């Protein structure tokens, strides 16, 4: 007999509740989870090393769907898609509260930063010379149009000349550059109908991008069988078949199963000319136990020809516990790279594995070289090494919000990274002492990765960061917490930092700052300037803020520094009894 909507919702809620009760970085008298999993990554790591790839195997399915003829989702389809899940969290709400209490009591054990106060109104001008210019902002998908699922919407965005494509856990929609609805919405079940799992399933954590060189759209979406006994996890991938800024194209769709039926959480999408790369946290789909990480490397040429060919790599490590064995990284971040670079870069931090009170300055830097070999079935060389950032970071600290005891937590590490101007720009949250006040702030860095010479290794391997061309710093507010940051680079060395703001008196809101290539090194906002994108007006009702702010650079010769972003905040159109998340679309000009 077909399951009723109420029983299905109960089962989904049970899985969500079970997932948040599993803490991976434990607090107090409970041992750190890093030691329990470190045996998976082998022996101690010193210098650079390589990770072997295996051919992608299993029932990789392929299908095709034409968005030009795909009918918009009905209200019933949107409702059926509006379910979410929250697989492994780095800490349960109780553990977050305990860590926050510890951090407040031990400020000298945290990174030390100078901060700025957040007023109730904030700066009332945009583009004052020290900041990027906020050129426009508009409401994205929210609970009034079905674009927010249970929990967080996890919005993602692809920016193309003339189009803005937004995805949430349960919807895909296309806007024009004036934020008018252009096409859709469609549910992921419509997009992946020809390759979906046969049983009861749920979609979450989309990651989308526009490959400007090929003028195609790339999409990765997590799909899970929500049956608690026979759980199965896959990554669904879609790639537009026609080179055009318009998304009304035939999309080739694929299902990439995880080995042993494991699940993939928060897929991060990267690409270069030769390949499509998807990295994610790997977990047991029944117990929700963290198993490690995985990276799919797929030939773009083969995908466009209707075949999924590539390699699967497992368990990039962090530096935690490496006196004997190393722990697997909690989050990996493949890189968006337009053009034909020498390598596809993948990075990770030690967050999610740090013991209570621990700090680190490690950046695990990996490179996939010989990526053109994907088309001929030759796995790229995957090499990694540990590197030191100029600044240290700690673990995550949750944030308060008005009118509720629910604490907000940001995603571990960072996800969206672009390789521009020969550098990687990244930002993540960390507990820190902010002018003497213990807060969740931002550690940001612009790093220059290097490869070995061909004389030393052919294909080349990862070498290290170039310290002379690397900069980093802290950004925090003395009376509010920062969550869900992203550091976005333009094509001329300028960067923008977009982030969420929350406190016991400030509803979850969105703000930004930035720097130009000509500013003093290691500084943002020329010493402290920042501005609101939008101020929240409701609590989120959810302890999890989200994964990251998703942004896309509009790549043409007229707007070299125009970046479009989507973020979530506590907005006026809220669900779950008056509290929930809305999404905001906005544009910043950095040039």
């Amino acid at each position: 007999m077909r399951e009723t909507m109420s029983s299905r919702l109960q089962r989904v809620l049970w899985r969500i509740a079970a997932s948040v009760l599993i803490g991976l970085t434990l607090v107090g008298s409970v041992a750190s989870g890093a030691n329990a999993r470190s045996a998976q990554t082998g022996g101690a790591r010193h210098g650079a090393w390589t990770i072997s790839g295996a051919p992608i195997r299993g029932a990789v399915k392929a299908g095709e769907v034409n968005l030009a003829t795909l009918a918009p989702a009905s209200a019933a389809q949107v409702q059926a898609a509006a379910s979410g899940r929250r697989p492994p969290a780095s800490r349960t709400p109780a553990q977050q509260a305990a860590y926050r209490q510890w951090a407040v009591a031990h400020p000298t054990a945290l990174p030390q930063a100078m901060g700025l106060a957040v007023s109730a109104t904030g700066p009332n001008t945009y583009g004052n010379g020290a900041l990027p210019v906020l050129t426009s902002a508009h409401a994205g998908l929210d609970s009034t149009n079905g674009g927010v699922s249970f929990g967080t919407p996890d919005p993602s965005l692809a920016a193309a000349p003339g189009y803005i494509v937004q995805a949430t856990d349960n919807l895909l929609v296309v806007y024009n550059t004036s934020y008018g609805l252009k096409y859709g919405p469609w549910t992921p079940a419509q997009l992946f109908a020809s390759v979906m799992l046969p049983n009861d399933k749920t979609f979450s954590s989309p990651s989308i991008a526009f490959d400007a060189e090929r003028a195609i759209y790339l999409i990765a979406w997590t799909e899970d069988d929500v049956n608690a006994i026979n759980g199965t996890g896959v990554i669904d991938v879609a790639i537009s078949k026609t080179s055009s800024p318009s998304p009304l194209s035939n999309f080739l769709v694929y299902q990439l199963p995880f080995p042993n039926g494991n699940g993939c959480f928060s897929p991060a999408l990267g690409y270069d000319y030769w390949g499509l790369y998807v990295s994610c946290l790997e977990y047991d789909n029944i117990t929700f136990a963290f198993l490690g990480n995985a990276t799919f490397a797929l030939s773009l040429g083969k995908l466009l020809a209707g075949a999924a060919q590539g390699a699967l790599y497992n368990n990039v490590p962090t530096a935690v516990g490496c006196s004997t064995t190393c722990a697997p990284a909690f989050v990996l971040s493949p890189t968006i790279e337009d053009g034909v670079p020498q390598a596809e870069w993948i990075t990770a931090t030690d967050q999610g594995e740090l013991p209570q009170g621990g700090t680190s300055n490690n950046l695990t830097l990996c490179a996939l070289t010989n990526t053109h070999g994907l088309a001929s079935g030759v796995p790229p060389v995957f090499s990694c090494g540990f590197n030191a950032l100029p600044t240290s970071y700690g673990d995550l600290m949750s944030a308060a919000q008005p009118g509720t005891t629910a604490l907000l937590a940001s995603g571990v590490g960072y996800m969206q990274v672009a390789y521009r101007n020969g550098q990687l720009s990244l930002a993540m949250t960390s507990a820190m002492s902010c002018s003497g006040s213990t807060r969740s702030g931002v550690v940001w860095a612009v790093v220059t990765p290097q490869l070995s010479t061909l004389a030393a290794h052919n294909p080349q391997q990862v070498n290290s960061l170039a310290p002379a061309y690397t900069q980093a710093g802290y950004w925090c507010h003395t009376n509010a917490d920062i969550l869900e940051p992203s550091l976005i680079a333009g094509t001329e060395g300028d960067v923008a930092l977009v982030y969420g703001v929350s406190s016991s008196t400030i509803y979850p809101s969105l703000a930004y700052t930035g720097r130009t290539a000509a500013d003093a090194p290691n500084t943002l906002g020329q010493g402290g300037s920042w501005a609101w994108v939008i101020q929240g007006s409701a609590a989120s009702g959810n302890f999890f803020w989200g994964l990251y702010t998703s942004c896309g650079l509009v790549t043409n010769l007229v707007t070299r520094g125009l970046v479009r972003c989507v973020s979530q905040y506590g907005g006026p159109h809220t669900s779950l009894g008056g509290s929930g998340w809305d999404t905001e679309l906005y544009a910043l000009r950095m040039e």
Side-chain angles (χ1 to χ4, degrees):
M1 183 172 65
R2 183 172 179 82
E3 182 180 38
T4 65
M5 179 63 70
S6 61
S7 64
R8 180 177 185 273
L9 180 58
Q10 287 176 350
R11 184 151 54 82
V12 172
L13 293 178
W14 180 88
R15 287 173 68 85
I16 296 169
S19 70
V20 299
L21 290 176
I22 298 174
L24 298 180
T25 305
L26 303 181
V27 176
S29 61
V30 184
S32 168
N35 295 331
R37 296 184 298 279
S38 60
Q40 300 178 50
T41 59
R45 304 294 189 184
H46 302 283
W49 65 91
T50 59
I51 299 176
S52 298
I56 294 175
R57 302 186 186 280
V60 179
K61 301 178 181 179
E64 191 167 332
V65 60
N66 188 352
L67 290 192
T69 60
L70 189 63
S74 65
Q77 287 174 309
V78 171
Q79 178 63 32
S83 63
R85 63 183 310 189
R86 186 57 54 205
S90 60
R91 285 198 177 100
T92 67
Q95 291 164 348
Q96 292 176 48
Y99 181 77
R100 185 181 180 94
Q101 183 178 13
W102 176 90
V104 170
H106 299 84
T108 58
L110 303 173
Q112 304 294 302
M114 299 298 293
L116 305 165
V118 175
S119 68
T121 57
N124 56 15
T125 60
Y126 298 124
N128 59 4
L131 295 177
V133 178
L134 180 69
T135 62
S136 61
H138 196 276
L141 290 170
D142 57 41
S143 58
T144 63
N145 51 34
V148 174
S149 59
F150 183 90
T152 59
D154 296 331
S156 186
L157 174 144
Y163 300 93
I164 304 166
V165 182
Q166 183 193 357
T168 57
D169 282 341
N170 57 315
L171 285 182
L172 180 73
V173 66
V174 181
Y175 300 98
N176 60 29
T177 54
S178 298
Y179 305 106
L181 178 63
K182 188 74 173 178
Y183 308 118
W186 304 287
T187 68
Q190 290 177 283
L191 181 63
F192 297 108
S194 60
V195 299
M196 283 195 309
L197 293 169
N199 300 316
D200 195 8
K201 54 265 180 186
T202 184
F203 292 88
S204 62
S205 306
S207 185
I208 61 178
F210 178 71
D211 180 347
E213 183 166 10
R214 291 182 182 264
I216 57 175
Y217 292 87
L218 308 171
I219 302 174
W221 222 307
T222 296
E223 181 189 354
D224 291 277
D225 178 349
V226 298
N227 188 301
I229 298 175
N230 299 309
T232 299
V234 300
I235 300 174
D236 292 324
V237 172
I239 178 171
S240 56
K241 199 173 178 179
T242 304
S243 295
S244 171
S246 173
L248 290 190
S249 165
N250 282 61
F251 276 72
L252 294 167
V253 293
Y254 301 89
Q255 183 194 96
L256 306 177
F258 255 84
N260 305 314
N262 296 328
C264 160
F265 180 51
S266 62
L269 181 68
Y271 64 86
D272 63 8
Y273 180 80
W274 299 107
L276 170 68
Y277 311 95
V278 183
S279 295
C280 58
L281 176 158
E282 184 178 2
Y283 65 97
D284 186 293
N285 215 350
I286 298 176
T287 67
F288 291 99
F290 173 52
L291 300 176
N293 57 68
T295 298
F296 288 88
L298 297 159
S299 167
L300 268 179
K302 292 293 185 180
L303 287 174
L304 288 168
Q309 177 175 293
L312 175 64
Y313 302 86
N314 290 110
N315 287 341
V316 169
T318 75
V320 175
C322 277
S323 59
T324 54
T325 56
C326 303
F330 203 75
V331 171
L332 299 184
S333 301
T335 305
I336 296 170
E337 302 186 36
D338 291 314
V340 189
Q342 292 174 289
E344 164 64 18
W345 303 101
I346 296 179
T347 54
T349 71
D350 295 345
Q351 276 198 341
E353 298 287 2
L354 290 170
Q356 177 180 316
T359 61
S360 175
N361 67 347
N362 176 59
L363 181 76
T364 304
L365 175 68
C366 302
L368 278 154
T369 52
N370 191 40
T371 57
H372 66 273
L374 287 167
S376 57
V378 177
V381 174
F382 198 140
S383 56
C384 299
F386 294 143
N387 293 267
L389 289 171
T391 54
S392 63
Y393 56 86
D395 220 323
L396 306 178
M397 191 178 76
S398 54
Q401 55 182 328
T404 177
T405 59
L407 293 174
L408 298 172
S410 186
V412 171
Y414 53 90
M415 289 183 64
Q416 189 177 58
V417 181
Y419 183 63
R420 296 195 179 104
N421 312 300
Q423 296 185 304
L424 304 172
S425 301
L426 51 99
M428 61 184 179
T429 57
S430 169
M432 61 183 61
S433 177
C434 182
S435 295
S437 176
T438 301
R439 289 293 178 186
S440 175
V442 169
V443 178
W444 65 272
V446 179
V447 302
T448 302
Q450 292 182 312
L451 294 173
S452 64
T453 63
L454 284 170
H457 297 283
N458 190 2
Q460 292 171 280
Q461 295 184 15
V462 74
N463 188 1
S464 62
L465 298 179
Y469 302 100
T470 292
Q471 58 180 309
Y474 298 119
W475 183 262
C476 62
H477 292 300
T478 56
N479 60 335
D481 292 302
I482 293 175
L483 302 97
E484 202 181 42
S486 283
L487 193 67
I488 308 100
T491 58
E492 297 179 345
D494 303 337
V495 296
L497 174 68
V498 294
Y499 56 93
V501 179
S502 182
S503 74
S504 59
T505 59
I506 299 173
Y507 290 112
S509 304
L510 303 174
Y512 73 96
T513 185
R515 59 172 283 108
T516 71
D519 285 347
N522 308 311
T523 61
L524 291 173
Q526 293 188 10
S529 297
W530 65 277
W532 294 112
V533 174
I534 188 169
Q535 292 181 260
S537 58
S540 73
N542 190 304
F543 84 91
F544 194 77
W545 178 287
L547 299 172
Y548 68 112
T549 293
S550 176
C551 297
L553 187 69
V554 181
T555 50
N556 61 55
L557 294 178
V558 177
T559 55
R560 296 185 302 277
L562 180 67
V563 62
R564 297 192 180 277
C565 298
V566 62
S567 306
Q568 55 196 38
Y569 71 103
H573 303 294
T574 51
S575 57
L576 305 178
S579 62
W581 294 104
D582 286 353
T583 69
E584 185 77 359
L585 299 163
Y586 52 100
L588 298 169
R589 192 178 71 244
M590 294 182 285
E591 58 190 356

